[in-house]
Coordinates of all heavy atoms in Angstrom, one line a residue:
Chain B
Q293 N -3.5 29.4 12.9 CA -4.4 28.8 14.0 C -5.9 28.8 13.5 O -6.6 27.9 13.6 CB -4.3 29.5 15.3 CG -3.0 29.1 16.1 CD -3.1 30.0 17.4 OE1 -3.0 31.3 17.3 NE2 -2.9 29.4 18.6
K294 N -6.3 30.0 13.1 CA -7.6 30.2 12.7 C -8.0 29.3 11.5 O -9.1 28.7 11.6 CB -7.8 31.7 12.3 CG -9.2 32.2 12.1 CD -9.2 33.7 11.8 CE -10.4 33.8 10.7 NZ -10.3 35.1 10.0
A295 N -7.2 29.2 10.5 CA -7.4 28.4 9.4 C -7.6 27.0 9.7 O -8.5 26.3 9.4 CB -6.4 28.7 8.3
L296 N -6.6 26.4 10.5 CA -6.6 25.1 10.8 C -7.8 24.6 11.6 O -8.3 23.5 11.5 CB -5.3 24.6 11.4 CG -4.1 24.6 10.6 CD1 -2.9 24.0 11.3 CD2 -4.3 23.7 9.3
S297 N -8.3 25.6 12.5 CA -9.5 25.2 13.3 C -10.7 25.1 12.5 O -11.7 24.6 13.0 CB -9.6 26.3 14.4 OG -10.1 27.5 13.8
T298 N -10.7 25.6 11.3 CA -12.0 25.5 10.5 C -11.8 24.6 9.3 O -12.7 24.3 8.6 CB -12.5 26.9 10.1 OG1 -11.5 27.5 9.4 CG2 -12.9 27.7 11.2
F299 N -10.6 24.1 9.1 CA -10.3 23.4 7.8 C -10.9 22.0 7.8 O -10.6 21.2 8.8 CB -8.8 23.3 7.5 CG -8.4 22.5 6.5 CD1 -8.6 22.9 5.0 CD2 -8.0 21.2 6.6 CE1 -8.3 22.1 4.1 CE2 -7.6 20.3 5.5 CZ -7.8 20.8 4.2
I300 N -11.7 21.7 6.9 CA -12.3 20.3 6.7 C -12.3 19.9 5.2 O -12.1 20.9 4.3 CB -13.7 20.1 7.2 CG1 -14.6 21.2 6.8 CG2 -13.7 19.8 8.7 CD1 -16.1 20.9 6.9
L301 N -12.4 18.7 4.9 CA -12.5 18.3 3.5 C -13.9 17.5 3.3 O -14.1 16.6 4.1 CB -11.4 17.2 3.1 CG -10.0 17.9 2.8 CD1 -9.1 16.7 2.7 CD2 -10.1 18.7 1.6
N302 N -14.7 17.8 2.5 CA -15.9 17.1 2.3 C -15.9 16.1 1.1 O -16.8 16.1 0.3 CB -17.2 18.1 2.2 CG -17.4 18.8 3.4 OD1 -17.4 18.2 4.5 ND2 -17.7 20.1 3.3
N303 N -14.9 15.3 1.1 CA -14.8 14.3 0.1 C -14.5 13.0 0.4 O -13.8 12.2 -0.3 CB -13.8 14.9 -1.0 CG -12.4 15.0 -0.4 OD1 -12.2 14.7 0.9 ND2 -11.4 15.5 -1.1
G304 N -14.9 12.6 1.6 CA -14.6 11.2 2.0 C -13.2 10.9 2.5 O -12.8 9.8 2.6
R305 N -12.5 12.0 2.9 CA -11.2 11.8 3.5 C -11.5 12.1 5.0 O -11.4 13.3 5.4 CB -10.2 12.7 2.9 CG -9.4 12.0 1.7 CD -9.6 12.8 0.6 NE -8.8 12.3 -0.6 CZ -9.3 12.1 -1.8 NH1 -10.5 12.5 -2.1 NH2 -8.5 11.7 -2.8
L306 N -11.6 11.1 5.8 CA -12.0 11.3 7.2 C -13.2 12.3 7.3 O -13.1 13.2 8.2 CB -10.8 11.8 8.0 CG -9.7 10.7 8.2 CD1 -8.5 11.2 8.8 CD2 -10.2 9.6 9.1
E307 N -14.2 12.1 6.6 CA -15.3 13.0 6.6 C -16.3 12.5 7.7 O -16.6 11.3 7.8 CB -16.0 12.9 5.2 CG -17.2 13.8 5.0 CD -17.8 13.7 3.6 OE1 -17.3 12.9 2.8 OE2 -18.7 14.5 3.4
E308 N -16.8 13.4 8.5 CA -17.7 13.0 9.6 C -19.0 13.6 9.3 O -19.2 14.8 9.1 CB -17.1 13.6 10.9 CG -15.7 13.0 11.2 CD -15.2 13.5 12.6 OE1 -16.0 14.2 13.3 OE2 -14.1 13.2 12.9
I309 N -20.0 12.8 9.2 CA -21.5 13.2 8.9 C -22.4 12.4 9.7 O -22.1 11.4 10.4 CB -21.8 13.0 7.4 CG1 -21.5 11.5 7.0 CG2 -21.0 13.9 6.4 CD1 -22.1 11.2 5.6
Q310 N -23.6 13.0 9.8 CA -24.7 12.3 10.5 C -25.6 11.7 9.3 O -26.1 12.5 8.5 CB -25.5 13.3 11.3 CG -24.7 13.9 12.5 CD -24.7 13.0 13.6 OE1 -25.5 12.2 13.9 NE2 -23.5 13.1 14.5
V311 N -26.0 10.4 9.5 CA -26.9 9.9 8.6 C -28.1 9.2 9.4 O -27.7 8.4 10.2 CB -26.2 8.8 7.6 CG1 -27.2 8.3 6.7 CG2 -25.1 9.4 6.9
K312 N -29.3 9.7 9.2 CA -30.4 9.2 10.1 C -30.0 9.3 11.6 O -30.2 8.5 12.3 CB -30.7 7.7 9.8 CG -31.3 7.4 8.4 CD -31.3 5.9 8.3 CE -32.4 5.4 7.2 NZ -32.5 4.0 7.2
N313 N -29.3 10.5 11.8 CA -28.9 10.8 13.2 C -27.8 9.8 13.8 O -27.5 9.7 14.9 CB -30.1 10.7 14.2 CG -30.9 12.1 14.1 OD1 -30.2 13.1 13.9 ND2 -32.1 11.9 14.3
I314 N -27.2 8.9 12.8 CA -26.1 8.1 13.3 C -24.8 8.7 12.8 O -24.6 9.0 11.7 CB -26.3 6.7 12.6 CG1 -27.7 6.2 12.9 CG2 -25.3 5.7 13.1 CD1 -28.1 5.0 12.0
P315 N -23.9 8.9 13.8 CA -22.7 9.5 13.4 C -21.9 8.5 12.5 O -21.8 7.3 12.8 CB -21.9 9.6 14.7 CG -22.7 8.9 15.8 CD -24.1 8.7 15.2
T316 N -21.4 9.0 11.4 CA -20.7 8.2 10.4 C -19.4 8.8 9.9 O -19.3 10.0 9.7 CB -21.7 8.1 9.1 OG1 -22.9 7.5 9.5 CG2 -21.1 7.2 8.0
I317 N -18.3 8.0 9.9 CA -17.1 8.5 9.6 C -16.6 7.7 8.3 O -16.6 6.6 8.3 CB -16.0 8.3 10.7 CG1 -16.4 9.1 11.9 CG2 -14.6 8.7 10.3 CD1 -16.3 8.4 13.2
I318 N -16.3 8.5 7.2 CA -16.0 7.9 5.9 C -14.5 8.2 5.6 O -14.1 9.4 5.7 CB -16.9 8.4 4.8 CG1 -18.4 8.3 5.1 CG2 -16.6 7.7 3.5 CD1 -19.3 9.0 4.1
N319 N -13.8 7.1 5.3 CA -12.5 7.5 4.9 C -12.0 6.6 3.7 O -12.3 5.4 3.6 CB -11.4 7.2 6.0 CG -10.1 7.8 5.8 OD1 -10.0 8.7 5.0 ND2 -9.0 7.4 6.4
L320 N -11.3 7.3 2.8 CA -10.7 6.7 1.6 C -9.5 5.9 2.1 O -8.8 6.3 2.9 CB -10.2 7.8 0.6 CG -9.2 7.3 -0.4 CD1 -10.0 6.5 -1.6 CD2 -8.6 8.5 -1.1
A321 N -9.3 4.6 1.6 CA -8.1 3.9 1.9 C -7.8 3.0 0.7 O -8.4 2.1 0.5 CB -8.4 3.0 3.1
K322 N -6.7 3.5 0.0 CA -6.4 2.8 -1.2 C -5.2 1.9 -1.1 O -4.8 1.2 -2.1 CB -6.3 3.8 -2.4 CG -5.5 5.0 -2.1 CD -5.5 6.0 -3.2 CE -4.7 7.2 -2.7 NZ -4.1 7.9 -3.7
N323 N -4.7 1.8 0.1 CA -3.5 1.0 0.3 C -3.5 0.5 1.8 O -4.3 1.0 2.6 CB -2.2 1.7 -0.1 CG -2.1 3.1 0.6 OD1 -2.5 3.3 1.7 ND2 -1.7 4.1 -0.2
P324 N -2.6 -0.4 2.2 CA -2.6 -0.9 3.6 C -2.5 0.2 4.6 O -3.2 0.2 5.5 CB -1.4 -1.8 3.7 CG -1.1 -2.2 2.3 CD -1.6 -1.1 1.3

Side-chain angles (χ1 to χ4, degrees):
Chain B
Q293 277 177 307
K294 191 179 143 201
L296 287 184
S297 70
T298 55
F299 175 75
I300 46 165
L301 281 173
N302 288 319
N303 62 0
R305 270 123 175 136
L306 290 172
E307 185 176 3
E308 299 181 8
I309 53 170
Q310 295 279 332
V311 181
K312 293 173 156 184
N313 282 325
I314 306 165
T316 302
I317 295 137
I318 308 173
N319 198 18
L320 165 77
K322 44 187 178 149
N323 48 42

